[in-house]
Amino acid sequence: MSYVMPSEFASKMIDAGETKIFMSTKDTLIRAYMAGAILALAAAFAVTIAVNTGNFLVASVLFPVGFCMLYLLGFDLLTGVFTLAPLAVIAKRPGCTWGGVFRNWGLVFCGNFAGAMTVAVFMAIIFTMGFSQEPNAVGQKIGKIGEARTLGYAAAGWAGLLTVFIRAVMCNWMVSTGVVAAMMSNSVSGKIMAMWMPILVFFYLGFEHSIVNMFLFPSGIMLGGDFTWFDYFAYNEIPVVVGNLVGGLTFVGGMIYATHYKTSPSRKAGYEKAPAAVPAE
C-alpha cells in the first residue's frame, strides 16, 4: 500500500497547509462547499441506517464513506485546515502569515456551512414530502438529536459546556488523524483504509464535529426540533468550533510537527565508540 514514513508525511502536512493559505478565494469556497455537502449527506446516510436498523455501530462503520470521498476528491473541511494551515506559519514558509490562516479558516467555514445547509434543506424536503407532511422517522430522529445536543448541554450549565468542548477536542483529534492518514499511503486503497479507522472511532463515540452539526442542527430546526438557532450556536456550534481547533492543532498538527518534523537530536548523537582493546603481548 506504499506506506509513507512519518517524517515524509510531516513535510506533506506543511506543504498542504501552505497550499491552503495561498489558494484562491474561488477554489477555497468551492472545495469547502462540496466538502460540507458530502459530509452532510454521509451524516444523513448514517442517521437513516441507525433508524432503519436500530444499530448505531453499523451506521458508524459506514459513515466514513463520506469523509473518504471528499478527501479523495481534494475538498476541504474546517477541521482539516484547523490542523494544516497553521503549520506553514509555524514552519516559517515564505509569505505564510496568521492573516492568511484566518482568511482560509473563514472562507472554509462559510463554504462548509453553505454546503451543509444545502443538503439540510434538500433532506428536509425529502423527509417531509416537500414540507406537506410530518417528518418521517429519520426526520423526527434528527430533530431529537438537535434537542439533546443543545438543550441537554444547556441544562447542565458550565458542566454541559465543558462536556461539549471536550467532545469537540476529542472529535478533531480523531478527524485530523484521518486527514493526516490520507497522506500515509500513495495508493487509493491505503488512503481509504487509513482514513476509515479514526473516523469510525469519532462517530461511534458521539464526539462533536462542527461540520456534521452544520447539517444536523439546521435540519433539526426545519424538521420541528424544539430548539432555536441561538441554542444551536451558543450551546453547540461555537464551543464545538473552538474545541475542534484545539483538538486538531494541539494533538495532531502540533504533536506530529514537534516529533517528526522538528526532531530532537538522538541521545546517541554524542556517543563515541570506545577504541578496541589492544591485545597484550
Side-chain angles (χ1 to χ4, degrees):
M1 293 188 295
S2 303
Y3 174 66
V4 177
M5 296 296 291
S7 58
E8 296 177 67
F9 67 68
S11 294
K12 285 187 174 184
M13 291 168 64
I14 296 168
D15 293 340
E18 182 178 7
T19 300
K20 309 301 181 192
I21 290 173
F22 288 116
M23 192 179 297
S24 71
T25 299
K26 181 206 73 174
D27 290 341
T28 303
L29 286 172
I30 291 174
R31 296 180 192 192
Y33 178 89
M34 291 305 299
I38 292 172
L39 199 69
L41 280 168
F45 173 59
V47 175
T48 301
I49 292 170
V51 170
N52 290 343
T53 66
N55 192 324
F56 188 65
L57 177 58
V58 174
S60 302
V61 168
L62 296 176
F63 169 76
V65 66
F67 182 88
C68 293
M69 283 194 297
L70 73 90
Y71 268 101
L72 289 174
L73 288 166
F75 300 145
D76 286 323
L77 292 173
L78 182 64
T79 43
V81 297
F82 272 164
T83 299
L84 298 176
L87 297 183
V89 178
I90 296 170
K92 299 181 180 179
R93 289 291 176 90
C96 293
T97 65
W98 285 109
V101 171
F102 297 142
R103 170 189 171 276
N104 175 256
W105 288 353
L107 290 172
V108 173
F109 178 93
C110 292
N112 285 169
F113 196 88
M117 276 294 296
T118 300
V119 174
V121 172
F122 288 172
M123 295 308 298
I125 291 171
I126 292 170
F127 293 147
T128 61
M129 191 65 73
F131 298 106
S132 66
Q133 301 174 3
E134 289 296 311
N136 63 12
V138 177
Q140 292 175 28
K141 179 63 175 178
I142 290 175
K144 295 297 182 184
I145 291 172
E147 291 177 24
R149 287 164 57 181
T150 54
L151 301 181
Y153 291 133
W158 286 108
L161 289 176
L162 175 63
T163 300
V164 68
F165 172 77
I166 295 300
R167 282 184 170 178
V169 170
M170 296 296 288
C171 171
N172 209 24
W173 191 341
M174 289 294 96
V175 172
S176 286
T177 298
V179 173
V180 174
M183 304 176 187
M184 294 178 182
S185 174
N186 291 319
S187 70
V188 173
S189 60
K191 289 175 181 290
I192 291 173
M193 188 179 301
M195 286 189 283
W196 208 280
M197 296 181 287
I199 304 307
L200 189 163
V201 171
F202 119 69
F203 198 81
Y204 187 72
L205 290 176
F207 295 153
E208 297 282 357
H209 191 275
S210 53
I211 295 85
V212 170
N213 294 354
M214 289 175 186
F215 162 73
L216 287 176
F217 295 82
S219 183
I221 292 171
M222 286 183 272
L223 292 167
D226 189 19
F227 63 103
T228 66
W229 285 97
F230 175 82
D231 296 328
Y232 160 48
F233 280 105
Y235 303 118
N236 192 282
E237 191 64 37
I238 293 173
V240 168
V241 166
V242 176
N244 286 169
L245 169 59
V246 172
L249 185 54
T250 302
F251 294 107
V252 182
M255 296 300 181
I256 291 174
Y257 180 90
T259 192
H260 289 310
Y261 188 77
K262 287 291 185 180
T263 307
S264 298
S266 168
R267 293 176 62 241
K268 293 181 67 176
Y271 174 79
E272 293 183 0
K273 187 175 180 180
V278 177
E281 295 183 359

